[in-house]
C-alpha cells in the first residue's frame, strides 16, 4: 500500500499553522474522510468545527486500519485539533502516531507546527530538524517553517538563510518570497535604529 503525504505550511498567523496531512489510501472511508477534514482544517482554521473530528474518532475506534493508516489518522486528527487550538490534544495524537510509525517525517512537521503555535520555538525547530533527517520529501515547506520560526526568535540571519533555501528548492514561491522580504525589511529597520 502506497502512502502519500500532503505537506501544508505555516502561514503568517500562528492560528494558520498547518499540518502535513497523511493520506490514507487503503484505509476505510472514515480514515479517508479524516484526511479530507485535516486538509480542510489546515486551510480554514478560523472555521474549524469539532465535527471534523468525528470520522477520525470513528476510524480509530471502529475502523479496520493498517498500522500505517492508524498512524496517519492520529496525525490527521492532530492537525484538526491544532487548528481548533486544542494543542495538548493534538500533541497526544502526534505522540500516538510516532509510537506507531516513528520513521514518518511528516508527523514531526505536524508536531513542530503545534509547538510553533504554542510558541515553543526551540522544540518546533527540533522537530523540523528530525523531519529533515528522516528524509522529508517536500523540503521547501520545512525550510519555510524553519524560516518563520527563526524570524519569531529574532534570528534574522537564520530566518533569511532558511527562506532562501526554500526558494532554491521552490523558485518563485510567493509565500516564501513575501516572508523573505519581511525579514529583509526587519533587518533594514534594525540597522537604521543602530
Amino acid at each position: 500500500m502506497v502512502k502519500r503525504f500532503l505537506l501544508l505550511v505555516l502561514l503568517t498567523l500562528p492560528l494558520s499553522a498547518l499540518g502535513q496531512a497523511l493520506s490514507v489510501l487503503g484505509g476505510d472511508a472514515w480514515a479517508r474522510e479524516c484526511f479530507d477534514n485535516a486538509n480542510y482544517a489546515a486551510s480554514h482554521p478560523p472555521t474549524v468545527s469539532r465535527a471534523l473530528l468525528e470520522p477520525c474518532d470513528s476510524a480509530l475506534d471502529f475502523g479496520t486500519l493498517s498500522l500505517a493508516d492508524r498512524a496517519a489518522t492520529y496525525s490527521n486528527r492532530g492537525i484538526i485539533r491544532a487548528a481548533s487550538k486544542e494543542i495538548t490534544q493534538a500533541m497526544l495524537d502526534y505522540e500516538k502516531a510516532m509510537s506507531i510509525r516513528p520513521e514518518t517525517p511528516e508527523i514531526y512537521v505536524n508536531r513542530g507546527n503545534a509547538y510553533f503555535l504554542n510558541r515553543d520555538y526551540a522544540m518546533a525547530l527540533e522537530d523540523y530538524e528530525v523531519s529533515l533527517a528522516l528524509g522529508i520529501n517536500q523540503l521547501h515547506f520545512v525550510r519555510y517553517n524553519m524560516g518563520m520560526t527563526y524570524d519569531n526568535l529574532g534570528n534574522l540571519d537564520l530566518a533569511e538563510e532558511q527562506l532562501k533555501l526554500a526558494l532554491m528548492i521552490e523558485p518563485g514561491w510567493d509565500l516564501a518570497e513575501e516572508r523573505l522580504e519581511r525579514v529583509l525589511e526587519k533587518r533594514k529597520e534594525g540597522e537604521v535604529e543602530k
Side-chain angles (χ1 to χ4, degrees):
M1 178 181 321
V2 177
K3 296 280 176 260
R4 256 184 320 129
F5 299 101
L6 173 65
L7 181 67
L8 304 169
V9 146
L10 286 170
L11 295 177
T12 54
L13 299 173
L15 179 57
S16 307
L18 305 176
Q20 181 166 12
L22 281 74
S23 147
V24 180
L25 298 179
D28 62 20
W30 287 317
R32 287 189 300 277
E33 187 177 350
C34 179
F35 167 77
D36 292 339
N37 289 353
N39 284 323
Y40 177 82
S43 58
H44 300 87
T47 61
V48 170
S49 158
R50 291 204 30 84
L52 295 175
L53 293 170
E54 290 174 10
C56 305
D57 296 341
S58 294
L60 292 166
D61 293 342
F62 310 112
T64 54
L65 302 174
S66 68
L67 286 177
D69 287 341
R70 181 167 288 283
T73 302
Y74 274 120
S75 187
N76 292 338
R77 187 171 72 176
I79 292 169
I80 298 167
R81 286 181 162 165
S84 300
K85 297 183 182 180
E86 298 175 10
I87 302 300
T88 301
Q89 293 301 321
M91 291 294 201
L92 292 173
D93 280 340
Y94 299 140
E95 292 299 324
K96 288 176 184 172
M98 286 176 190
S99 73
I100 298 168
R101 300 281 297 205
E103 72 281 4
T104 306
E106 293 80 7
I107 300 169
Y108 293 89
V109 174
N110 292 340
R111 190 175 71 173
N113 292 348
Y115 279 127
F116 180 93
L117 285 170
N118 219 27
R119 294 188 169 104
D120 189 343
Y121 301 125
M123 291 302 296
L125 287 169
E126 189 174 306
D127 273 355
Y128 297 147
E129 290 288 351
V130 171
S131 76
L132 293 172
L134 290 173
I136 189 118
N137 287 327
Q138 295 174 315
L139 293 169
H140 60 293
F141 287 123
V142 178
R143 295 296 183 185
Y144 176 83
N145 290 0
M146 292 175 76
M148 280 195 55
T149 306
Y150 282 120
D151 184 8
N152 280 302
L153 285 168
N155 189 330
L156 300 179
D157 291 335
L158 288 177
E160 178 183 352
E161 176 184 306
Q162 293 300 318
L163 292 167
K164 284 182 176 178
L165 284 171
L167 286 166
M168 283 176 56
I169 299 163
E170 189 69 28
W173 184 20
D174 290 342
L175 193 59
E177 286 177 349
E178 291 167 13
R179 190 67 185 208
L180 178 58
E181 194 174 300
R182 282 190 293 247
V183 165
L184 295 174
E185 294 242 344
K186 281 183 183 179
R187 175 174 286 141
K188 240 187 250 182
E189 289 170 7
E191 290 172 2
V192 169
E193 291 175 7
K194 289 181 181 179

